[in-house]
Amino acid sequence: MKQRIITALILAPLVILGIFELSLPLFTLAIAAVMMIGYWEWTQFVEPKSRWMALIPAVLVSALSMALIPFDVVSLNQVVEPHYTMLAVGCVWWIVSSLLAITYPKSSALWQHSTLLRHAFGILTLLPFFWSVLLLRAEGIETDAYHGAKLVLYVCLIVWAADSGAYFAGKSMGKRKMAPHVSPNKTIEGLIGGIITAVLIGWGAAAWFDIEFTSPLVMIAITLVTVVISVLGDLVESMFKRVSGIKDSSNIIPGHGGVLDRIDSLTAAFPVFAFLYFIF
């Protein structure tokens, strides 16, 4: 626990500094690097003979997306159909994968023995995440260099708040299990505590960062949906790790495991938040 706290105290300021101070090209490279590490860790879930060979499909699909979808500053400030399509694909994936996690282990019969589906699941988890973070970071960058950074940090804050709120509420009041076969420690009471905490933090952060939503009701609705999906996103990775017999996706982050272990909730939250934010 001590190592976990020390690592978090070092990483959190670095992440926030990167969100606000990296130029858009460097920020793009940083998020792409996170995505590639995530892909590498995901190869364990595919259970291949060669992890390097298992990395190829994800790299090719990601490169193709960057060849077909515009990502220069001007294009990213004008969210168009290819961007919406990518975000919508991410949203659909997290709805489907959440249902798989909730109905596990029965649902595992549908995909457990399919290498193709396991490859596809990794791409669907990480590629929409990459694009959604990039689109939010670039939002309004030509008129306000930090507006998009505030949006990115907003999503991080509500997810972190939800994780903390769910932990303490679950510890003190948790009785009804959300998905006992996937993660026995997650409870309905914890989810409710996480939602309440995230909405309160989101309300304050939106006012502090001067993030405009159509109305307070829309802000609450988007935050609520994002948080619920983020919690389910954590369950989804837990499901894949359980099927593969893996405790942590790697040991790259001392005390925290791998990159996927730290961004599992964020990979679900960002595409959903970005899609709803740009739509409404």
Side-chain angles (χ1 to χ4, degrees):
M1 178 59 73
K2 182 180 178 181
Q3 187 182 47
R4 187 183 182 92
I5 293 172
I6 292 173
T7 302
L9 290 174
I10 295 172
L11 281 181
L14 291 176
V15 169
I16 294 171
L17 185 65
I19 291 172
F20 279 86
E21 296 303 328
L22 286 179
S23 64
L24 188 60
L26 288 177
F27 183 82
T28 302
L29 286 175
I31 298 301
V34 170
M35 178 176 66
M36 292 307 302
I37 295 171
Y39 280 145
W40 172 253
E41 293 178 349
W42 193 277
T43 58
Q44 299 172 97
F45 303 154
V46 180
E47 299 177 356
K49 293 181 180 179
S50 168
R51 291 182 67 183
W52 288 108
M53 292 297 293
L55 196 62
I56 293 175
V59 173
L60 290 178
V61 172
S62 299
L64 182 62
S65 79
M66 298 186 76
L68 296 177
I69 302 175
F71 64 99
D72 58 280
V73 173
V74 175
S75 298
L76 290 173
N77 270 273
Q78 300 171 352
V79 182
V80 292
E81 186 176 346
H83 299 137
Y84 281 117
T85 300
M86 178 61 70
L87 297 178
V89 167
C91 291
V92 171
W93 159 242
W94 285 110
I95 293 171
V96 171
S97 62
S98 296
L99 291 174
L100 292 177
I102 292 171
T103 57
Y104 179 85
K106 291 182 179 179
S107 63
S108 62
L110 300 173
W111 57 268
Q112 186 173 357
H113 302 293
S114 173
T115 301
L116 178 62
L117 285 178
R118 291 193 184 206
H119 276 295
F121 291 170
I123 295 169
L124 289 169
T125 295
L126 288 160
L127 190 56
F129 164 73
F130 166 79
W131 279 103
S132 58
V133 175
L134 189 56
L135 285 165
L136 287 173
R137 179 63 185 87
E139 170 68 3
I141 196 170
E142 293 182 308
T143 55
D144 180 354
Y146 294 118
H147 175 67
K150 293 174 184 177
L151 286 173
V152 173
L153 184 56
Y154 179 87
V155 179
C156 292
L157 287 176
I158 61 174
V159 170
W160 295 338
D163 286 345
S164 300
Y167 175 80
F168 289 109
K171 278 284 187 181
S172 58
M173 298 178 289
K175 293 181 180 180
R176 288 168 288 186
K177 307 294 184 183
M178 282 181 59
H181 297 292
V182 177
S183 183
N185 294 326
K186 283 188 167 42
T187 63
I188 299 296
E189 293 81 4
L191 174 62
I192 294 171
I195 290 173
I196 294 172
T197 305
V199 169
L200 292 174
I201 294 295
W203 191 291
W208 185 24
F209 295 159
D210 197 24
I211 297 174
E212 294 185 2
F213 292 88
T214 307
S215 69
L217 185 61
V218 169
M219 185 277 289
I220 292 173
I222 292 177
T223 300
L224 191 151
V225 173
T226 300
V227 166
V228 171
I229 288 294
S230 77
V231 173
L232 293 172
D234 187 17
L235 285 177
V236 170
E237 201 218 341
S238 296
M239 173 182 69
F240 288 123
K241 288 194 293 187
R242 186 170 291 274
V243 169
S244 302
I246 297 169
K247 183 178 183 296
D248 294 321
S249 57
S250 74
N251 58 359
I252 194 172
I253 306 174
H256 290 262
V259 166
L260 284 177
D261 298 320
R262 290 303 92 214
I263 68 169
D264 47 10
S265 298
L266 294 172
T267 55
F270 269 103
V272 172
F273 178 88
F275 182 75
L276 296 175
Y277 179 80
F278 289 124
I279 288 289
F280 294 106

